[in-house]
Amino acid sequence: MIGVDLRALTQPVGIIRIMAAILTCICFSLVATVGYVSSPYWAWCMFTWCFCFFFTLVILILEFTAVNDKLPFAWEDFTTALAMLACLMCLSASIIYPVFFTCQTCHRQIGASVVSWVCFGIYAGEVALTRLRPSGQNSGFLSTLPGIMKMLEAFFACLIFTSLEKSQFSGSPELQWCVAVYCLCFIFAILIILLSTGRLTSFFPFSFDKVVIVYNILAAVMYMTAMVIWPLYSFRGNKRPIACGALCIWDKLLVVTFMAIINAIVYTLDTAYSIYLVFFVSNE
C-alpha cells in the first residue's frame, strides 16, 4: 500500500526541489513561447530544462508517496547524482543560451537566461545539502569520486555531440575515428554507471573494478589520440571565416576540441584514481 510522507515536501531538500521544478518549468515555457530554433545548442538547452523538470518532479512524487523506499537501488545516491548532473546541465544551458539566443530587446530570452542561472544555484544548493549528510550515508557509487568522474565523462561527451555535425567529419577517416572514440567512451561510461548503480557488478565472475581500470586506460589513450587528431585535421588549412556568426561551424569545431581536451584530462584522473583505489587502498 502506498503511503504519504509530507516531510518530502516540507524539509529543506524538498522545498529546494519544488523551487527547482517550478523554475525549470518557467525556463522551458519562456523559451517555447519564443518559438523553435533550428540549432543543436537550442535543443540542448530545452532538453536540459525539460530533463531537470521531469526528474525533479518524479523524485518529489516518489518521495511523497514513499515509493522510493521500495526501489532496488540506493535512492539517496541516485538523487544526489541527479542533483549534480542537473547542476552541470543548468550551468551549461545558462552559458550557452544567453550567448547564442539573446539580444538587448529579447526580454523573454533574457528572462529565461536569468531563471536558468537561478536554477543552477538551486541545484548547487541541493548538492550541498545532500553531500553534507553525516559520514556513511553517501555510500553509493555515484556519490564517490569515481562515480562523479564517470558522470563528468558522460556530460562532456554530450556537449561534444551537441557541437558535432556530419559535414565536419564526413570524408575524413581521421575525424571519423575521433567521433567513434567519443561515442564508444560515452556508451561504456553510461554502461558502467548503470551496472554500478543497479548493484549488478557482483554478478560478474571476475573483478569488475579491474575491468573498469582496463577500460579507463584504453579510454584515456583513445581520448588523447582524439585530442591530437581532431584539431590537427579540423583546422589544417581551415582558418576562421571573417563572416563567422554565433552558430558558425568553425566555432563548433573549437568547442569539440576543448571538450575533448577536458574529457581526456578527466579520463586520465579517473584512471589514476581507480588504480590507486584497487591496487593500493584495497590492499592496506
Side-chain angles (χ1 to χ4, degrees), residues 150 185 188 192 206-222 267 270-272 274-275 278-279:
K150 278 286 169 283
C185 292
F188 280 102
I192 291 171
F206 45 79
S207 174
F208 185 77
D209 291 337
K210 291 182 180 178
V211 172
V212 171
I213 288 176
V214 173
Y215 158 73
N216 284 340
I217 293 172
L218 289 174
V221 172
M222 290 167 66
Y267 272 106
D270 192 7
T271 302
S274 298
I275 292 173
V278 172
F279 294 104

Side-chain angles (χ1 to χ4, degrees), residues 234-254:
S234 293
F235 299 113
R236 187 173 57 181
N238 181 22
K239 294 183 178 180
R240 190 176 192 274
I242 298 176
C244 190
L247 298 174
C248 180
I249 293 180
W250 195 93
D251 289 343
K252 294 180 180 179
L253 294 174
L254 192 62

Side-chain angles (χ1 to χ4, degrees), residues 151-170:
M151 286 194 298
L152 286 174
E153 291 158 8
F155 171 72
F156 288 127
C158 287
L159 294 182
I160 289 174
F161 297 146
T162 303
S163 299
L164 283 178
E165 292 185 10
K166 188 177 180 180
S167 60
Q168 296 170 343
F169 54 85
S170 60

Side-chain angles (χ1 to χ4, degrees), residues 194-209:
L194 293 176
L195 290 173
S196 300
T197 306
R199 299 176 178 176
L200 301 174
T201 58
S202 59
F203 294 101
F204 285 82
F206 45 79
S207 174
F208 185 77
D209 291 337

Side-chain angles (χ1 to χ4, degrees), residues 3 12 19 27 53 56 58 66 76 139 143 150 185 219 236 266 284:
M19 293 173 60
C27 279
F53 168 75
T56 302
V58 168
E76 299 295 346
S139 57
S143 295
K150 278 286 169 283
C185 292
R236 187 173 57 181
V266 175
E284 291 181 357

Side-chain angles (χ1 to χ4, degrees), residues 12-86:
V13 175
I15 295 171
I16 284 179
R17 286 171 181 160
I18 292 172
M19 293 173 60
I22 293 172
L23 291 174
T24 49
C25 181
I26 291 173
C27 279
F28 70 72
S29 299
L30 283 171
V31 174
T33 59
V34 176
Y36 172 75
V37 178
S38 180
S39 165
Y41 293 134
W42 184 90
W44 169 257
C45 294
M46 281 295 283
F47 170 76
T48 292
W49 297 318
C50 293
F51 174 90
C52 294
F53 168 75
F54 175 77
F55 278 99
T56 302
L57 187 62
V58 168
I59 289 171
L60 285 169
I61 293 172
L62 291 178
E63 290 197 342
F64 178 68
T65 57
V67 174
N68 61 299
D69 296 330
K70 301 176 178 62
L71 297 177
F73 53 84
W75 177 254
E76 299 295 346
D77 181 44
F78 174 74
T79 55
T80 301
L82 269 180
M84 288 188 286
L85 181 60

Side-chain angles (χ1 to χ4, degrees), residues 93-111:
S94 300
I95 295 172
I96 291 172
Y97 191 77
V99 168
F100 292 115
F101 305 107
T102 61
C103 61
Q104 292 183 351
T105 57
C106 304
H107 303 300
R108 282 176 288 183
Q109 292 94 320
I110 293 173

